Amino acid sequence: MDASAETLARAIGERVKHERRALGWTLDRLAEHAGVSRRMVVSVEQGTVNPSVGTLLRLSDALGVGLPALVEPPASRASKLTRSGDGAVLWTGERGGRGMLVAGTEPPDVVELWDWTLHPGERHESEPHSAGTRELLHLLEGAITVEVDGQTHDLVAGDALAFLGDTDHWYANTSAEPARFSLAVFEPGVGAGRRNGEPDA
Amino acid sequence: MDASAETLARAIGERVKHERRALGWTLDRLAEHAGVSRRMVVSVEQGTVNPSVGTLLRLSDALGVGLPALVEPPASRASKLTRSGDGAVLWTGERGGRGMLVAGTEPPDVVELWDWTLHPGERHESEPHSAGTRELLHLLEGAITVEVDGQTHDLVAGDALAFLGDTDHWYANTSAEPARFSLAVFEPGVGAGRRNGEPDA
DNA sequence: ACGATCGGTGCAGTATCCTGCACTGATGGA
DNA sequence: TCCATCAGTGCAGGATACTGCACCGATCGT
C-alpha cells in the first residue's frame, strides 16, 4: 500500500467509523450486518489495510451510505457565502436575460446552482456536458420551452423538470413576459487527477 | 467474491475498459501508467477479480476519471416533468410556510431541488444528512438567517450560501416579510441497499 | 510470407487481505 | 465488588489479490 492509498484508506476509515457511530452501532453489530469479520471492521476503520471493493461494498451496504460516498475524497468543511450580485454571469441574452452561477461545490462531484432570467424571445442553447451530468430546473415565473434529446417540454410557473445534461439541450422563452428559473446542475466525479497528454474521449 | 460483488466487479470492468478505449490506450499502456501489472488490468476489465481500493485508485488516477466514477452504477436516461403543485410538501410551518421537493434524481448520487417559503418568525431545523451531503441555497426574496455547524449567516435577497449538510443546521426568517429560497441538496452515493430496521442518524 | 502489435489466457509464486480467537483495558450498571 | 459490554490489539493460518512470464490467435503493414 503506497502513500496515496494510505491516505485514502484513512479517509475511508474515518467515514466508516462516523457512519457507524451515527447509527449507534457497535463494532460487532456492523461486522454481523455486513458479513465481515469484526477484526476487519477495526482494521478498515483504522485505515491500516487496503480493503477490497467487495469488503467495502458489504460495509457501505450495511451502513446504508453507498459505496461512492465511502471512497469520495474529503470535502472542504467551510460554508461559502456569495453576496447578491457577486455571482458569475456566464451568459447574457440580447434583451437583458442572463444566467448567473450563484453557488457551487468543489470537484469532484460538482453541483452548481444557477439563477436564470430569460426575456421574451430569448433562447439559450447549451453544449452537452460530461457523461452522467444531470440537471434540475424549477420555473419560478413566466413560461418557457425546454428541449432535451429531441423532446420538447412546455413549462409554466411552478413546473419543474429533471433531465440528463450530457446531450444537446436548450431553453427558450416563448411567452410575452420574462421568465425566471432556478437550475441545479450535477456533474459527477470530474475529480482527482485528469492527466494531460491525450485528449479525452 | 459473492454475487453482488461480482456484479459490481463487472460494472467496474466495463467502465475501465470504456475509459481506456476512449483514451486509445493499450492494455500495456494503462498498466504502465497505473503501475499495475498488465495481467491485473485484464482481470479487472473482465470483472474476474475483486480488486483492492489501492489498485482501483491507481487505475482511476491513470484514466483520469476519479475513483467514485468507477464504482458508480449507471443512471437512467429519462427526463421527468413535475407539474406546478405536484411537488411533495415535506415541511409546513405554523404560519403557512412550506418546503416543497420539486425535482430530484434517482439513487445513487441523489440531487434534490427544493422550493422553500418561510413566513416571518418561522424556523426550520434540519436533521443532519448523511456524510458528504452538500447544500446550495439561493435566497430569492426576503431575508433569512442560516446557522450551520455553529456559524450563523444573515442573507438578504439575492445572496447564496454553500454549506455541508451533514451537521445540524437551521433556517429562520427573522424579518417582517415572507422569504423564499431555492435549495439544491446533493447526497452522494445513497445507493444500493439502504437497510431497514434502524433509523438513520 | 514474415514480423510486429494487440487482446487475451494459464499458471506458479508471493504478498497481503481476511478470518478467528485469545487477550487487554475502560466503562457502567446492579 | 462483580459481571457484562464495549473498543481495540496480536497472532497464526487460510484464502486470494497481484505479479511475472510464457503462450495463443487475430490483425495489420511491408
Side-chain angles (χ1 to χ4, degrees):
Chain A
M1 192 163 53
D2 58 20
S4 64
E6 277 179 27
T7 305
L8 174 63
R10 264 194 296 273
I12 291 174
E14 284 175 19
R15 242 157 274 152
V16 169
K17 192 164 191 168
H18 180 263
E19 292 300 321
R20 178 174 62 82
R21 288 253 167 87
L23 264 54
W25 285 12
T26 68
L27 289 170
D28 286 284
R29 190 162 190 183
L30 174 55
E32 185 188 353
H33 274 75
V36 169
S37 72
R38 196 181 74 113
R39 190 64 182 87
M40 196 56 204
V41 174
V42 174
S43 297
V44 168
E45 287 192 355
Q46 311 280 42
T48 59
V49 291
N50 175 18
S52 70
V53 284
T55 301
L56 282 190
L57 178 63
R58 291 189 205 159
L59 288 174
S60 68
D61 203 31
L63 292 169
V65 295
L67 183 47
L70 282 190
V71 301
E72 210 102 30
S76 86
R77 309 238 9 126
S79 301
K80 188 177 173 198
L81 178 60
T82 307
R83 284 300 176 188
S84 179
D86 288 354
V89 177
L90 298 183
W91 180 84
T92 50
E94 300 170 353
R95 303 174 198 183
R98 61 203 172 88
M100 182 167 64
L101 176 61
V102 296
T105 68
E106 307 290 314
D109 287 339
V110 172
V111 184
E112 296 172 342
L113 187 57
W114 293 73
D115 181 24
W116 280 81
T117 305
L118 232 47
H119 284 241
E122 284 184 334
R123 184 170 177 281
H124 170 66
E125 185 136 9
S126 176
E127 298 289 313
H129 304 123
S130 70
T133 296
R134 304 198 64 97
E135 308 198 12
L136 303 175
L137 187 158
H138 183 216
L139 185 57
L140 303 167
E141 304 162 13
I144 63 172
T145 300
V146 180
E147 180 182 302
V148 45
D149 213 11
Q151 295 260 336
T152 63
H153 305 270
D154 293 312
L155 308 193
V156 298
D159 289 354
L161 185 71
F163 59 96
L164 271 181
D166 57 6
T167 58
D168 284 302
H169 57 283
W170 50 258
Y171 327 105
N173 186 347
T174 53
S175 74
E177 328 159 14
R180 186 182 189 192
F181 59 89
S182 286
L183 180 68
V185 178
F186 167 53
E187 207 166 346
V190 194
R194 179 160 279 273
R195 287 280 199 286
N196 52 2
E198 283 66 23
D200 45 7
Chain B
M1 193 164 53
D2 59 19
S4 64
E6 280 180 24
T7 305
L8 174 63
R10 266 193 296 273
I12 291 174
E14 284 174 20
R15 242 157 274 152
V16 169
K17 191 165 192 167
H18 180 264
E19 292 299 324
R20 178 174 62 82
R21 288 252 167 88
L23 264 54
W25 284 12
T26 68
L27 289 169
D28 286 285
R29 189 160 190 187
L30 174 55
E32 184 189 353
H33 274 75
V36 168
S37 72
R38 195 180 76 113
R39 188 65 182 86
M40 197 56 203
V41 175
V42 175
S43 297
V44 168
E45 287 192 354
Q46 311 280 41
T48 59
V49 292
N50 177 18
S52 71
V53 285
T55 301
L56 282 190
L57 179 63
R58 291 189 205 158
L59 288 174
S60 68
D61 203 31
L63 291 170
V65 295
L67 183 48
L70 280 189
V71 300
E72 210 108 30
S76 91
R77 298 207 51 88
S79 300
K80 188 174 171 199
L81 179 60
T82 306
R83 284 301 176 186
S84 179
D86 287 355
V89 177
L90 297 184
W91 180 84
T92 49
E94 299 171 354
R95 303 176 198 185
R98 60 205 172 86
M100 183 167 64
L101 175 61
V102 297
T105 68
E106 307 289 316
D109 285 339
V110 171
V111 184
E112 296 172 342
L113 188 55
W114 293 73
D115 180 25
W116 280 81
T117 305
L118 232 47
H119 285 238
E122 284 184 334
R123 182 169 179 278
H124 170 65
E125 183 136 8
S126 177
E127 298 289 312
H129 303 123
S130 70
T133 296
R134 303 197 66 94
E135 309 198 12
L136 304 175
L137 187 158
H138 183 217
L139 186 57
L140 302 167
E141 305 162 13
I144 63 173
T145 300
V146 180
E147 179 182 302
V148 45
D149 215 11
Q151 294 262 337
T152 63
H153 305 271
D154 293 312
L155 308 193
V156 299
D159 289 354
L161 184 71
F163 59 95
L164 272 181
D166 58 5
T167 58
D168 283 302
H169 56 282
W170 50 258
Y171 326 106
N173 185 347
T174 52
S175 75
E177 328 160 13
R180 186 183 188 190
F181 57 90
S182 286
L183 180 68
V185 179
F186 168 53
E187 205 166 349
V190 191
R194 177 164 277 274
R195 286 281 196 290
N196 51 1
E198 282 67 24
D200 44 9

